[in-house]
């Protein structure tokens, strides 16, 4: 199905309103044509100085058409926009739902700015489909038909010329403009997306760009993209200009031609002279309605390329599908939320790259805390993505005895909460950020959660407490505070199982160690999978699993693994050594010159 058709079907729910808008628009357009025709007849007839009473009906009709033209146009705008905005809301929700289902694994193809352009600008462009393409075209076609039918009765010769001119205005001229605009439009939406991507990444990387003195280069890159966009828009405007010019030419020929063809009819008495003005003015007025179609053709091309970009998101295959018939909750083992993986294979792409997990067997009993450790790239985060049902896998993974394949992603994530490497803090208040964990959490619940993650003092020092705005991505907080706030959010959500994927990854050593201590304190007695490459504090967990190159290479307690030797023991020794060096460095008095 073509993307535009898909878009149109998405607006299908508003069919009734759109038909009503088309009818209202037709009445408004027909009133405009009738107004000019009646006015022409009235002026011609008035020139013959008939009794005033003979003009009364036409005068009333002129007033009625003038009024109805504005009233029906106003109603058409209200009904049409209402339908279009309702359709747009439905479409935006559909795109958002797809993004939600694709996130976090299926969105790597799109940059943040490009996604933003698709969700905002491209979806907004869909508004043009009913308002600037379908409704104007439907009205113009209906009014042309009615005008030609009336002229055929009044002056058959002129009606043929008017029909040809209107047909050109309805089809050939918009088609020509559409061809010129097509190549421009095909490049316009991606160019808009690329400009938006460049602006977003420049804003996001502002600090790094400043630090490396690369702001100038980033800004000139943005202006280059902007110039490119402007040049494409200029080409599109040229197409529209040619279309409008041609339209005026055809309109002029139609008016003069209809008049010329009607004059012999007047001289040989087939047409009353007062109707001559009507024959000339009707094609003029009808063509005014048709004259909007070149810009509809440009709008159509814009909708087409935006529809393709929206379809790109909507048709993007999901990294993991929900089952059509999820297993009912009642048929699951109740009470137990043991996780079991057997012979688990997982890979990120379908293009034949190697498996990130290769035959993993793992059991996490209820209330058990295990740590998954291993070098970078070993597959630890891949395992987290599989457990949270973000990523497709082969083999068997069960939660409380029920296969993950028989559960929806939402169900899995109702039992399992995750704290990642760089938790997202939304650009809103502390309260709203916490309410994402539990919508009905009271202030005292929030304060209690913040106390557990040691953020209560931080909160009390904030000028507006829970009402304090945290800025984009929590910019007013430190990295450690952001992770602690996310942890408080997770605690409020009260998931029975916690997956903590390198939660201290981007923090300095001291902050990371303090957070690790708190995490270990807070997860006592709760089923926890702690993914980490730092081994500090792991004496406290029940079991440690060493993952290397996607395979479980060793398993046991801290003491067992240190005694066993291998990756864990080596890593532990290195960490101890680093700890000693840091402690020594701390003891050196400030200002001591180490190198002479
Ligand atoms: P770890 O968490 O142990 O550092 P990961 O699970 O992140 O390791 O990575 C395992 C493998 O999967 C690596 O080869 C990595 O390149 C690949 N990988 C991880 N995340 C993605 C992703 N989002 N898209 C594609 N490949 C990925």
């Amino acid at each position: 199905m073509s993307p535009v058709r898909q878009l149109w079907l998405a607006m299908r729910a508003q069919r009734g309103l759109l038909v009503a808008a088309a009818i209202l628009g037709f009445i408004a357009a027909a009133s405009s044509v009738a107004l000019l025709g009646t006015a022409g007849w009235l002026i011609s007839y008035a020139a013959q100085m008939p009794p005033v009473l003979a003009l009364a009906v036409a005068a009333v009709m002129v007033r009625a058409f003038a009024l109805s033209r504005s009233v029906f146009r106003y109603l058409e705008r209200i009904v049409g926009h209402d339908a279009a905005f309702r359709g747009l809301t439905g479409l935006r929700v559909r795109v958002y739902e797809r993004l939600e289902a694709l996130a976090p694994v299926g969105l790597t193809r799109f940059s943040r700015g490009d996604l933003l352009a698709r969700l905002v600008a491209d979806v907004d462009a869909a508004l043009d489909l009913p308002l600037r393409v379908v409704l104007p075209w439907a009205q113009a076609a209906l009014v042309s038909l009615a005008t030609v039918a009336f002229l055929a009765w009044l002056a058959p010769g002129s009606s043929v010329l008017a029909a040809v001119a209107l047909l050109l205005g309805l089809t050939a001229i918009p088609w020509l403009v559409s061809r010129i605009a097509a190549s421009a439009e095909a490049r316009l939406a991606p160019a808009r997306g690329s400009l938006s991507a460049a602006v977003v990444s420049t804003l996001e990387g502002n600090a790094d760009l400043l630090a490396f003195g690369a702001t100038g280069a980033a800004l000139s890159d943005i202006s280059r993209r902007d110039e490119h966009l402007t040049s494409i828009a200029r080409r599109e405007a040229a197409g529209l200009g040619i279309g409008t010019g041609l339209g005026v030419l055809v309109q002029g020929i139609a008016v003069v031609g209809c008049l010329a063809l009607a004059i012999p009819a007047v001289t040989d008495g087939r047409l009353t002279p007062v109707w001559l003005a009507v024959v000339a003015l009707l094609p003029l007025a009808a063509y005014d309605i048709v004259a909007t179609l070149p810009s509809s053709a440009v709008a159509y091309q814009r909708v087409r390329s935006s529809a393709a970009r929206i379809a790109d998101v909507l048709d993007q295959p999901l990294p993991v599908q929900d089952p059509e018939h999820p297993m009912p909750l009642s048929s699951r083992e109740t009470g137990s939320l043991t996780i079991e993986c057997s012979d688990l294979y997982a890979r990120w792409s379908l293009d034949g790259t190697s498996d990130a997990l290769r035959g993993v067997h793992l059991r996490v009993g209820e209330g058990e805390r295990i740590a998954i450790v291993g070098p970078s790239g070993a597959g630890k985060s891949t395992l987290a993505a599989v457990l949270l049902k973000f990523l497709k896998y082969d083999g068997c993974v069960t939660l409380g005895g029920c296969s993950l394949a028989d559960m929806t992603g939402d169900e899995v994530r109702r039992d399992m909460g995750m704290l990642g490497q760089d938790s997202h803090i939304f650009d809103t208040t502390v309260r709203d950020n916490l309410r994402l964990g539990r919508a009905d959490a009271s202030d005292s619940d929030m304060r209690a959660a913040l106390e557990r993650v040691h953020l209560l003092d931080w909160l009390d020092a904030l000028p507006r407490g829970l009402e304090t705005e945290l800025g984009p991505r929590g910019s007013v907080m430190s990295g450690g505070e952001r992770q602690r706030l996310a942890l408080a959010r997770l605690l409020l959500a009260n998931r029975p199982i916690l997956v903590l994927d390198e939660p201290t990854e981007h923090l300095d050593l001291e902050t990371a160690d303090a957070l690790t201590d708190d995490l270990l304190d807070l997860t006592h007695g709760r089923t926890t999978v702690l993914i980490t490459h730092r081994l500090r504090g792991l004496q406290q967990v029940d079991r440690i699993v060493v993952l290397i190159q996607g395979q479980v290479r060793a398993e046991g307690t801290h003491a067992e693994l240190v005694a066993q030797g291998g990756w864990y023991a080596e890593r532990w020794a290195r960490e101890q050594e680093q700890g000693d060096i840091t402690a020594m460095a701390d003891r050196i008095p400030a200002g001591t010159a180490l190198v002479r």
Side-chain angles (χ1 to χ4, degrees):
M1 193 192 302
S2 82
V4 176
R5 202 172 146 68
Q6 221 177 335
L7 206 65
W8 181 244
L9 291 181
M11 302 243 169
R12 198 172 35 181
Q14 311 306 326
R15 239 183 341 223
L17 282 176
L18 287 172
V19 170
I23 293 172
L24 290 167
F26 166 65
I27 299 176
S31 298
S32 293
V33 178
L35 172 65
L36 213 59
T38 319
W41 185 90
L42 182 63
I43 293 166
S44 305
Y45 192 38
Q48 296 181 348
M49 308 248 187
V52 174
L53 219 57
L55 299 174
V57 175
V60 169
M61 278 170 72
V62 166
R63 265 184 231 136
F65 285 136
L67 273 177
S68 69
R69 180 181 65 162
S70 313
V71 169
F72 282 99
R73 181 64 64 209
Y74 176 74
L75 291 176
E76 181 251 355
R77 288 286 143 93
I78 288 195
V79 177
H81 278 73
D82 188 30
F85 277 109
R86 282 171 197 270
L88 195 68
T89 309
L91 181 65
R92 211 186 291 288
V93 168
R94 262 188 71 194
V95 175
Y96 187 85
E97 279 172 351
R98 191 68 182 185
L99 289 179
E100 197 194 3
L102 285 169
V105 168
L107 293 178
T108 40
R109 236 192 78 203
F110 309 100
S111 77
R112 287 163 60 82
D114 184 39
L115 268 185
L116 184 72
R118 285 174 204 251
L119 182 65
V120 180
D122 289 328
V123 173
D124 275 350
L127 199 64
D128 283 352
L129 182 59
L131 293 182
R132 297 192 57 200
V133 180
V134 177
L135 288 178
W137 206 89
Q139 288 165 28
L142 287 173
V143 164
S144 300
L145 214 62
T147 309
V148 170
F150 185 74
L151 277 177
W153 165 75
L154 193 63
S158 303
S159 75
V160 176
L161 183 63
V164 172
L166 290 170
L167 202 63
L168 281 176
L170 280 169
T171 55
I173 295 176
W175 176 83
L176 184 69
V177 174
S178 167
R179 294 278 27 96
I180 300 173
S183 68
E185 268 306 329
R187 291 181 296 139
L188 201 65
R192 217 186 293 129
S194 110
L195 175 64
S196 150
V199 171
V200 171
S201 55
T202 303
L203 285 174
E204 279 185 346
N206 188 21
D208 295 337
L209 291 171
L210 271 175
F212 287 96
T215 317
L219 291 181
S220 54
D221 179 48
I222 290 181
S223 9
R224 201 173 38 75
R225 287 171 205 254
D226 189 48
E227 273 161 25
H228 179 55
L229 188 65
T230 313
S231 76
I232 302 173
R234 210 172 284 138
R235 198 189 142 97
E236 187 181 86
L240 183 58
I242 291 173
T244 311
L246 273 178
V248 173
L249 186 69
V250 170
Q251 187 179 30
I253 293 174
V255 171
V256 175
C258 284
L259 194 62
L261 288 172
I263 290 172
V266 174
T267 45
D268 61 23
R270 278 178 288 129
L271 184 68
T272 329
V274 285
W275 285 99
L276 191 60
V278 180
V279 174
L281 290 177
L282 282 191
L284 182 77
Y287 207 95
D288 266 351
I289 313 288
V290 173
T292 58
L293 295 188
S295 60
S296 291
V298 174
Y300 173 71
Q301 289 302 337
R302 185 166 311 147
V303 168
R304 228 167 72 120
S305 75
S306 288
R309 284 163 53 82
I310 295 170
D312 220 15
V313 175
L314 292 178
D315 297 342
Q316 172 88 355
L318 291 180
V320 57
Q321 291 278 355
D322 278 339
E324 258 179 54
H325 306 289
M327 185 180 276
L329 274 174
S330 53
S331 62
R332 290 194 205 139
E333 256 177 54
T334 48
S336 153
L337 278 177
T338 301
I339 302 171
E340 282 199 81
C341 307
S342 52
D343 210 18
L344 172 63
Y345 284 81
R347 61 171 51 189
W348 286 91
S349 57
L350 305 170
D351 57 10
T353 49
S354 62
D355 289 313
L357 293 177
R358 298 183 292 143
V360 169
H361 292 268
L362 181 77
R363 183 178 190 282
V364 190
E366 184 152 21
E368 198 181 10
R369 288 194 302 175
I370 70 154
I372 312 277
V373 300
S376 183
K380 303 183 294 295
S381 300
T382 309
L383 182 63
V386 168
L387 291 181
L388 285 145
K389 212 172 172 192
F390 285 140
L391 190 64
K392 215 170 143 198
Y393 62 87
D394 290 320
C396 181
V397 183
T398 60
L399 176 62
C402 175
S403 168
L404 237 54
D406 293 329
M407 301 168 77
T408 64
D410 283 350
E411 277 174 338
V412 173
R413 294 185 287 271
R414 250 198 303 276
D415 286 335
M416 235 183 264
M418 177 171 178
L419 182 66
Q421 302 182 353
D422 202 0
S423 304
H424 192 88
I425 300 300
F426 289 86
D427 184 6
T428 177
T429 60
V430 180
R431 175 179 279 112
D432 286 345
N433 268 290
L434 287 173
R435 276 170 55 185
L436 284 171
R438 196 166 84 227
D440 61 354
S442 66
D443 281 11
S444 57
D445 293 336
M446 292 184 193
R447 288 182 67 81
L450 290 173
E451 187 170 17
R452 291 178 71 196
V453 300
H454 297 143
L455 270 189
L456 201 54
D457 289 343
W458 167 81
L459 179 79
D460 289 336
L462 290 178
R464 302 185 56 214
L466 287 169
E467 285 305 315
T468 309
E469 295 279 345
L470 295 174
R473 306 186 127 220
S475 56
V476 303
M477 309 172 78
S478 71
E481 286 163 351
R482 274 199 289 273
Q483 286 298 75
R484 283 176 186 275
L485 187 68
L487 180 60
R489 188 159 70 191
L490 188 62
L491 293 177
L492 278 170
N494 203 19
R495 305 276 186 256
I497 302 173
L498 298 181
V499 178
L500 311 172
D501 183 8
E502 305 262 17
T504 61
E505 174 74 359
H506 300 305
L507 306 178
D508 62 81
L509 229 50
E510 210 174 311
T511 317
D513 289 346
L515 182 60
T516 305
D517 290 344
D518 289 340
L519 280 172
L520 289 166
D521 275 351
L522 288 166
T523 51
H524 256 298
R526 198 192 287 247
T527 317
T528 306
V529 178
L530 171 63
I531 293 169
T532 177
H533 65 269
R534 246 172 87 69
L535 311 183
R536 187 180 180 279
L538 296 192
Q539 297 89 331
Q540 297 181 49
V541 300
D542 300 308
R543 200 153 36 90
I544 299 162
V545 175
V546 181
L547 200 65
I548 294 176
Q549 291 181 346
Q551 290 179 320
V552 175
R553 292 286 169 84
E555 209 170 331
T557 61
H558 171 78
E560 285 165 359
L561 289 174
V562 171
Q564 231 175 67
W567 183 88
Y568 190 91
E570 279 167 29
R571 176 86 199 188
W572 176 247
R574 206 160 354 123
E575 255 184 43
Q576 294 301 101
E577 222 170 88
Q578 272 167 0
D580 291 346
I581 295 171
T582 315
M584 267 166 52
D586 284 349
R587 283 202 294 273
I588 298 173
T592 308
L594 292 177
V595 179
R596 284 182 196 280

